[in-house]
Amino acid sequence: MKNTTVLISGASIAGPALAHWLIRYGFAVTVVERAPSLRLGGQAVDFKGETHRTVLSRMGILDDVRRHQTGGSDQEIVDAAGRTLAVIPGEFSGGDIEITRGDLSRLLYERTAPACEYVFGDSITSLTETKDGVHVTFERSAPRTFDLVVGADGIHSNVRRLVFGPEERFVRFLGHYYALVETGLDFGEPGKMYNEPGRMVAVGGTKAPAFFVFASEPLQYDRYDVEQQKKLLDRAYAGMGWRVPEIMEAVRGAREVYFDSISQVRIDRYSQGRVVLLGDAAYGNTLGGFGTGLAVVGAYVLAGELAAAGGDHRVAFAEYERRFRPYAKIAKSGNAGPFLAPGSRAKMLMRNWTFKYGFLLGLMLKVTDKFATDIKLKTYPPTAA
Ligand SMILES: Cc1cc2nc3c(=O)[nH]c(=O)nc-3n(C[C@H](O)[C@H](O)[C@H](O)COP(=O)(O)OP(=O)(O)OC[C@H]3O[C@@H](n4cnc5c(N)ncnc54)[C@H](O)[C@@H]3O)c2cc1C
């Protein structure tokens, strides 16, 4: 086997899922994560259809994932007086299997940690490709050389910036921001969603943390400054009705806040030399509904192609891209912002009617099913474990 040492940047979903396979194929894996520990925040994420289930099953984690599933639940769209206007069925927002992002990340981490090296609280500062490896420097650790490097570090990928170029070339802002906040408020089940034009708040239900989506011009802010992000949210939700003032009061005291733009990644090539991108770093579409499924299936294909090519990265990266790019097309098509936070009362009404009268719902579910299963999974060489 060629190229046996692999450095993965990012320990969320794509990184640990890839580590899982590479370890089993006999690679020596190091995962570097910028956060000081595993990031367990976020709402529930979902898997849908045969392809996702098959990959989870081949990983040997389908039963574990099922054991942790939230069960999914309907969500009521309410008016300012709290009256139900329409119901979003659980199968629409939660796929076939819904699990909190934190539980999934922890499950993948616990499966892989004993057999690979995790380095938390560090980040790559430079990548220099040589004839037989990639020389890597870090913010904290000593420099090292690896055979291959994988950027599984999300939509704002550090590896992509260092190797492919600045983020502005690959990430398109889609006109909305979103936030997930642990408010500590209990709204029970079913979850409630409240809209005013260009703004949405969802609370309660199995998706868990309070969830905000709002339309905005691009904002300048520090991605690591939670207090600043809370102020942006406060400003965006000022004057909103229903129970929003109470929710915003809880946001002001919250410790866990995840705030980001709704954006889409578009990149012509997933790899350059010995460096390759996986998951949101390569084909992210915030809240597009398939980020987690794409990351897990992508990890299966990338690791499988590396094993099938005996570690030859040129062959494996080209095959990964050829097989996976058509499947990742879902990431190019959707924008969840205008759906979750319609820009006018008329658009809110139309969105609500879709659910109230079931217009197009069956069709929408069929289309998403088609996207989630539109790849022929190859059977890769048997793993050692
Ligand atoms: C805290 C958090 C909460 C989320 N909540 C939701 C949610 O509620 N709903 C939803 O649909 N999706 C959510 N996502 C995104 C979702 O996890 C992804 O869309 C999908 O699972 C694909 O995962 P990924 O591993 O490719 O990217 P991500 O999940 O974005 O993970 C990227 C990882 O790389 C790490 N990282 C970033 N920069 C560096 C660096 N310089 N060096 C090393 N590591 C770095 C990040 O800390 C993170 O752990 C969330 C992501 C995170 C990190």
Side-chain angles (χ1 to χ4, degrees):
M1 176 88 86
K2 284 179 166 178
N3 296 327
T4 52
T5 59
V6 182
L7 172 67
I8 300 172
S9 174
S12 171
I13 306 296
L18 181 71
H20 171 97
W21 285 110
L22 291 181
I23 293 162
R24 288 171 77 177
Y25 288 128
F27 291 86
V29 179
T30 300
V31 185
V32 60
E33 163 62 50
R34 190 186 176 282
S37 57
L38 209 59
R39 300 175 70 185
L40 298 175
Q43 281 201 313
V45 294
D46 54 286
F47 293 106
K48 197 172 177 60
E50 185 60 28
T51 304
H52 294 177
R53 272 198 307 277
T54 303
V55 171
L56 293 174
S57 165
R58 289 185 188 170
M59 289 175 85
I61 62 166
L62 181 59
D63 289 342
D64 269 353
V65 170
R66 284 212 164 107
R67 249 192 302 284
H68 284 89
Q69 67 184 321
T70 58
S73 72
D74 295 348
Q75 190 166 43
E76 294 175 354
I77 302 175
V78 298
D79 67 10
R83 287 176 299 231
T84 304
L85 300 173
V87 176
I88 304 179
E91 63 174 325
F92 181 79
S93 56
D96 303 340
I97 311 174
E98 187 183 78
I99 175 171
T100 66
R101 199 201 68 88
D103 278 346
L104 181 63
S105 188
R106 184 175 21 220
L107 209 150
L108 292 168
Y109 170 73
E110 283 171 356
R111 288 273 179 137
T112 49
C116 74
E117 178 190 18
Y118 276 91
V119 180
F120 286 97
D122 208 349
S123 177
I124 299 169
T125 48
S126 74
L127 293 156
T128 312
E129 184 158 340
T130 62
K131 197 166 73 54
D132 9 72
V134 187
H135 183 69
V136 186
T137 59
F138 297 91
E139 273 173 18
R140 301 164 75 122
S141 309
R144 286 165 72 174
T145 298
F146 295 87
D147 294 329
L148 305 173
V149 176
V150 183
D153 41 10
I155 217 153
H156 304 291
S157 172
N158 181 42
V159 168
R160 191 186 57 221
R161 180 179 59 80
L162 291 169
V163 175
F164 295 78
E167 175 160 323
E168 305 77 72
R169 278 173 45 196
F170 309 113
V171 179
R172 285 173 49 192
F173 172 58
L174 298 182
H176 290 74
Y177 285 84
Y178 77 108
L180 299 155
V181 185
E182 290 291 350
T183 59
L185 297 173
D186 184 5
F187 279 80
E189 288 193 36
K192 309 270 184 284
M193 177 194 276
Y194 175 69
N195 280 98
E196 288 183 12
R199 298 186 284 183
M200 184 281 287
V201 183
V203 284
T206 54
K207 288 258 177 206
F211 175 38
F212 302 81
V213 173
F214 63 96
S216 170
E217 294 298 313
L219 298 170
Q220 299 303 322
Y221 66 97
D222 178 348
R223 272 201 292 120
Y224 303 106
D225 185 343
V226 167
E227 292 308 315
Q228 190 189 13
Q229 293 162 19
K230 285 195 219 169
K231 284 195 187 118
L232 290 173
L233 262 189
D234 220 19
R235 204 171 309 148
Y237 283 81
M240 205 167 164
W242 187 54
R243 295 175 64 181
V244 177
E246 172 194 349
I247 298 168
M248 294 319 292
E249 187 56 44
V251 167
R252 280 173 218 124
R255 295 228 317 264
E256 291 251 350
V257 178
Y258 185 72
F259 184 99
D260 205 349
S261 59
I262 294 189
S263 299
Q264 194 180 67
V265 177
R266 290 201 174 197
I267 193 158
D268 291 342
R269 297 191 58 189
Y270 295 159
S271 66
Q272 191 160 302
R274 293 175 171 272
V275 179
V276 66
L277 302 175
L278 175 71
D280 276 8
Y283 27 80
N285 182 352
T286 323
L287 305 173
F290 284 99
T292 305
L294 285 175
V296 168
V297 179
Y300 171 79
V301 175
L302 176 56
E305 291 301 338
L306 270 168
D312 184 333
H313 65 283
R314 285 186 198 85
V315 176
F317 292 174
E319 269 306 281
Y320 158 59
E321 176 132 11
R322 191 181 71 75
R323 290 185 171 276
F324 201 74
R325 188 175 277 281
Y327 181 58
K329 64 181 177 296
I330 174 78
K332 276 195 190 166
S333 55
N335 177 3
F339 174 80
L340 292 165
S344 66
R345 298 224 170 254
K347 286 179 181 162
M348 281 162 50
L349 201 66
M350 273 167 58
R351 194 271 321 266
N352 295 351
W353 281 355
T354 307
F355 293 107
K356 188 164 179 185
Y357 301 110
F359 298 150
L360 302 174
L361 211 56
L363 182 68
M364 280 155 84
L365 285 169
K366 267 208 188 109
V367 170
T368 52
D369 266 347
K370 168 107 180 64
F371 273 123
T373 52
D374 200 14
I375 185 169
K376 196 168 177 324
L377 287 179
K378 199 168 138 185
T379 308
Y380 291 108
T383 57

